[in-house]
Amino acid sequence: MNLAQFSIDKNRITFMVLATIVLMGLVMYSGLSRDSMPPYTVRVATVVSVFPGASPERVEQLVSDKIEKIVQELPELKEVNSTSRTGLSVVSVILKDEVRQNKMQAVWDRLRRKLNSMQDLPQGVIPNLNDDGIGDVYGIVVGLTSDGYSYAEMKNYADNIKDDLIKLSDAAKVTLGGIQDERVFIEFDNTRLKSYGLSSSKLQQIISTTNILSSGGQINVGDERIILEPTGNFNSIEDIKEMLIPVGTSGSQLVKLGDITTIKKAYIDPPTQIVKIDGKSAVSLHVNLKKGANIIKLGEAVNNIVMQWKEKLPVGLELTRVSSLDNYIDNKISNFISNLLQSIGIVLIVMLIFLGIRTGLVIASLIPIVTIMTLMIMGVIGMGLNQVTLAALIMALGMLVDNAIVVAETIMVKMEQGIDKKKAAVDAFSELWMPLLISTLTTSAAFLAFYMSPTTMGDIVGPIFVVITIALMSSWIIALTVITMFCYLFLKVESKSIKKPGLIDRIINKLKNYYKDLILIALTNKWKVIVGIFIVFFMSLYGFTKVDFVFFPDSDRNMITIDVNLPLGTKIESTKEVVRKIEQYMLDSLKTSENKPLGITDWSSYVGQGPESYDLGYAQDEANSSYAHILVNTSSFNENNIMIKKLDRYTFENFPNADIKVGALSAGGGGTPIEIKVSGSDPDELAKISETIKTKLSKTLGTKNVKDDWGPKR
């Protein structure tokens, strides 16, 4: 069946199908999911175990090593590594790439059962397998800053804001950061307790048995069942102070607890995490997008919540945006629309110059039609817009117009030879459908390796093959049907026998003559040409070695990060002081103002534990008092490198005992690009070898921030 003939003869059906495609494509486009990256499978989990008071060596020997042996029993295991810190063991489990997503939960459940059955761990140590939420990105972060309000008061407002955010249709999870938990502290003097015949353990036992939290049972009264709730639980600090404690050898005497101890309500010290925004105490709210949802729509909804709360918050509390992945994705989509319009304009101008206005409009019409058709098919198969699919669409824009040019040019040549328009279109289809199909499939196959990769990176870049294949196949179909119909309806070409050559025709003929002469010279000197081609080929291979190779470049977000690592065991107060000095430097020297439009606009710092993952290039680690993370927003992406250099120089010169890394976000995921593993049984010998390797690496050109995973030395 000749599709070109069918399109021309049944042009009403063709126009109806075309209108349906355009309408469905526009509707599908508005409903496409929008996120930073395609969905991908994370085959990583962590086993976290708390062993209070134990040194890193004891944690490794008594906890980490035993858990690693259990993990190694998994046949699906690819790699296991552990980090042992004071009182904490973190074992990372990485599964093989062959493990499919629908099989992973069974593997994690099997590992969880193995961990729960461990009998040889120290008393009180319970390994906790964390396999949920790894890889989630909390792209929208809102900060509640305080000027004079306590953390407890801030938390009350933050909880209410969280309730509003979690109700949003596109929000999956909302977590809080920087929360300072309150506790009731009972302080006492051991000598004084002894004079009353008490000890700390006995006092603790009396208090715990008095604060009744268990059920009082139930009674049946006729047809009604009544629940009994016993009194005796504490409702306030005054209740605790008024509690009577038996003292003396016989316990016949009673004294109030508040008379022999000091009772107060305060925050846990030291805190696990301290959050500040622009140097002010803050509580952060991190919003996670639902799978398949629209992050731009979520961002607009979050903005509405922020505006509503700004009107309700009292003076001294302020709600601001900290991280806005939605704005970044929105800009990416806007850039794609701009590229689409530029492509249409460029094709139209070139065609107008060389082929005329009618041919230019016919060929240029292919680009929006194919783009809309591609978006429609993406919506049908459930593929959304993200950085990868947008990049694929932009790549496809430069290729999809070729089919239309070949078809239109072939029809024009036949018409210039005096062939009837309809026969020219039908014959063009018969001649071109197979060569163009092979060309389209060959181009598509060049990206097949991305889709076939079984790794996580294959999940991320695989959509490039899918989108380009959809776009090119759509171009092939539209070029052989709609474009041939447009050529039949709108093109008017005079026969060569009666057509007078114009200025453009004379220029093209001259170029053809020059090209013909060049071909004749090449054929006359064929061996010289072949040798020259080989020389140029080998020169290009040498030149390729001079090109910097980066699989994924740094993200082009207007954002940089600062990771602060002090020697293990450093108090959180000391880490906080280092962060304060860095913040003061940014405030004094780098922050934007009316007279200084370029620089750092705002920042947020997280001391003790990093924030939830706000970008694919960052992953949260376990709490550590010697660690801090600073998220810095700049005025534009072009300022990133300048700010990085200034901050890098300042931190290097002012904090010699700290390992501080200043850098841009990585677009392809976080991590260290090059790692060297040194293993052995003697920690002291390992430390010596590590220092030797670090010294040599630091002298190697291109290296920066060379460190080991034991942290900086005191």
Side-chain angles (χ1 to χ4, degrees), residues 617-691:
Y618 172 79
Q620 186 188 44
D621 199 0
E622 297 298 324
N624 184 356
S625 62
S626 58
Y627 171 76
H629 182 84
I630 307 176
L631 171 61
V632 182
N633 292 313
T634 60
S635 55
S636 71
F637 165 71
N638 297 325
E639 297 299 308
N640 283 4
N641 288 334
I642 300 173
M643 296 298 105
I644 288 172
K645 289 180 180 178
K646 291 183 178 181
L647 284 166
D648 206 19
R649 182 171 61 250
Y650 171 79
T651 54
F652 179 79
E653 294 174 352
N654 290 273
F655 306 103
N657 68 326
D659 174 21
I660 301 179
K661 179 182 177 182
V662 185
L665 286 171
S666 174
T672 305
I674 299 176
E675 291 183 349
I676 298 175
K677 181 180 179 179
V678 183
S679 59
S681 57
D682 188 348
D684 295 332
E685 191 65 25
L686 288 176
K688 293 179 183 178
I689 297 173
S690 172
E691 289 300 322

Side-chain angles (χ1 to χ4, degrees), residues 539-694:
M539 287 178 62
S540 65
L541 291 180
Y542 174 77
F544 184 72
T545 63
K546 303 300 180 181
V547 178
D548 294 334
F549 178 78
V550 179
F551 187 65
F552 268 107
D554 289 334
S555 171
D556 56 354
R557 293 183 67 178
N558 57 326
M559 179 184 292
I560 61 177
T561 61
I562 306 173
D563 284 305
V564 180
N565 284 280
L566 294 170
L568 287 176
T570 300
K571 296 188 300 182
I572 195 170
E573 291 82 4
S574 301
T575 310
K576 179 182 175 182
E577 179 62 20
V578 171
V579 171
R580 187 196 65 79
K581 292 179 180 178
I582 297 175
E583 289 179 327
Q584 191 62 44
Y585 170 72
M586 291 191 291
L587 180 64
D588 295 338
S589 306
L590 305 178
K591 198 173 190 309
T592 56
S593 61
E594 292 183 0
N595 300 324
K596 186 181 179 183
L598 301 178
I600 292 174
T601 57
D602 55 78
W603 66 86
S604 56
S605 60
Y606 304 81
V607 182
Q609 185 178 27
E612 297 285 351
S613 178
Y614 51 83
D615 189 275
L616 186 64
Y618 172 79
Q620 186 188 44
D621 199 0
E622 297 298 324
N624 184 356
S625 62
S626 58
Y627 171 76
H629 182 84
I630 307 176
L631 171 61
V632 182
N633 292 313
T634 60
S635 55
S636 71
F637 165 71
N638 297 325
E639 297 299 308
N640 283 4
N641 288 334
I642 300 173
M643 296 298 105
I644 288 172
K645 289 180 180 178
K646 291 183 178 181
L647 284 166
D648 206 19
R649 182 171 61 250
Y650 171 79
T651 54
F652 179 79
E653 294 174 352
N654 290 273
F655 306 103
N657 68 326
D659 174 21
I660 301 179
K661 179 182 177 182
V662 185
L665 286 171
S666 174
T672 305
I674 299 176
E675 291 183 349
I676 298 175
K677 181 180 179 179
V678 183
S679 59
S681 57
D682 188 348
D684 295 332
E685 191 65 25
L686 288 176
K688 293 179 183 178
I689 297 173
S690 172
E691 289 300 322
T692 303
I693 295 174
K694 286 195 296 183

